[in-house]
Amino acid sequence: MQSSFEQTIKNFLPSDDGRLNSLLKFSALAEEMDKISRRTKLADGSRRQNDAEHSWRIALMALMFKDYFDEEVDATRAAAICVAHDLVEIYAGDTFAYDAAANIGKEEREEAAAQKLFGQLPDDIARKLRALWNEFEEFKTPESRYANCMDRLEPFLNNSLSLTGGTWAEAGATVAMVEKRIGPLKENMPRVWEWVQKNIAVGLKKGFIKE
């Protein structure tokens, strides 16, 4: 069965410029991120968040929180990393952080998805987007560590605002599990970590997080 993208892209009217056609088609494909449902819910609990919403918000956060990061960081590059970091989920789907079984084979699935996805772009653009994705995954540069902090902070914020405990409660998450997931902030954003600890304590008290 064809996906909605495969059906609608048939209506694409090509130009005489092959490079332009590739970029336009990829831009249309990127809309599929709107359909990738994450386990994280909106703060009001009304529905699950999608990948596009998550990626946009952490990119915005990357432009705002740099003063709380312990190293000098290029916030604009970090925001670009945030925009690119979940593109492969168009094909690989989202993997819930607290689901150990689902995380088995995640790297292999996402690598295959990356090859399929970025292979649809002109070589120079493919290299740029692939490099941003790789940088996020490798966690070696200050920008990648900062982008990862934003990636962890954003769902934590939504769970802390939830009246029902969000994915903490759904997953039966323990303090150790939550602290491990949000751990990059302890190492790289200690002033934000203080706020994190207060929210974990409240989540524990409310029964959203287990001992």
Side-chain angles (χ1 to χ4, degrees), residues 1-124:
M1 181 177 179
Q2 288 186 323
S3 68
S4 58
F5 170 76
E6 290 171 329
Q7 293 172 3
T8 57
I9 201 64
K10 292 177 181 177
N11 297 323
F12 177 72
L13 183 63
S15 73
D16 295 328
D17 184 331
R19 178 184 175 87
L20 176 60
N21 293 338
S22 296
L23 297 178
L24 289 169
K25 287 181 179 180
F26 192 87
S27 297
L29 177 61
E31 189 179 48
E32 295 297 290
M33 290 189 74
D34 294 339
K35 303 170 187 175
I36 306 299
S37 181
R38 292 166 49 80
R39 289 290 294 273
T40 302
K41 291 184 177 179
L42 301 185
D44 66 4
S46 59
R47 63 172 174 82
R48 298 202 184 277
Q49 185 187 58
N50 66 53
D51 265 1
E53 292 167 330
H54 168 68
S55 296
W56 171 82
R57 191 151 71 136
I58 67 170
L60 174 64
M61 292 168 68
L63 297 176
M64 299 191 297
F65 284 83
K66 64 175 290 185
D67 290 343
Y68 291 89
F69 193 71
D70 266 6
E71 300 177 78
E72 286 294 321
V73 64
D74 182 341
T76 302
R77 180 172 179 79
I81 293 171
C82 290
V83 169
H85 87 292
D86 269 349
L87 282 171
V88 299
E89 293 187 2
I90 289 173
Y91 293 128
D94 179 64
T95 304
F96 185 36
Y98 294 122
D99 186 338
N103 275 273
I104 297 173
K106 177 177 182 286
E107 290 185 8
E108 292 78 6
R109 290 194 302 272
E110 292 192 347
E111 174 59 32
Q115 293 184 23
K116 180 178 179 180
L117 181 72
F118 299 127
Q120 299 176 53
L121 283 163
D123 287 347
D124 60 324

Side-chain angles (χ1 to χ4, degrees), residues 55-202:
S55 296
W56 171 82
R57 191 151 71 136
I58 67 170
L60 174 64
M61 292 168 68
L63 297 176
M64 299 191 297
F65 284 83
K66 64 175 290 185
D67 290 343
Y68 291 89
F69 193 71
D70 266 6
E71 300 177 78
E72 286 294 321
V73 64
D74 182 341
T76 302
R77 180 172 179 79
I81 293 171
C82 290
V83 169
H85 87 292
D86 269 349
L87 282 171
V88 299
E89 293 187 2
I90 289 173
Y91 293 128
D94 179 64
T95 304
F96 185 36
Y98 294 122
D99 186 338
N103 275 273
I104 297 173
K106 177 177 182 286
E107 290 185 8
E108 292 78 6
R109 290 194 302 272
E110 292 192 347
E111 174 59 32
Q115 293 184 23
K116 180 178 179 180
L117 181 72
F118 299 127
Q120 299 176 53
L121 283 163
D123 287 347
D124 60 324
I125 302 298
R127 286 194 298 271
K128 288 179 181 178
L129 288 180
R130 174 72 193 235
L132 291 170
W133 179 71
N134 285 344
E135 189 171 351
F136 179 85
E137 294 294 320
E138 291 168 358
F139 208 76
K140 291 181 179 178
T141 65
E143 287 73 24
S144 70
R145 289 191 289 274
Y146 181 49
N148 269 275
C149 284
M150 299 301 98
D151 183 52
R152 311 296 175 89
L153 179 59
E154 190 260 357
F156 184 96
L157 176 62
N158 274 25
N159 283 335
S160 74
L161 295 172
S162 172
L163 296 176
T164 60
T167 53
W168 293 337
E170 287 183 5
T174 64
V175 171
M177 290 166 64
V178 175
E179 288 188 338
K180 180 179 179 181
R181 181 62 186 166
I182 198 74
L185 277 85
K186 182 178 182 180
E187 300 172 6
N188 298 282
M189 303 182 74
R191 287 180 289 170
V192 182
W193 180 255
E194 293 176 7
W195 172 85
V196 164
Q197 287 289 285
K198 290 180 181 178
N199 279 277
I200 290 176
V202 170

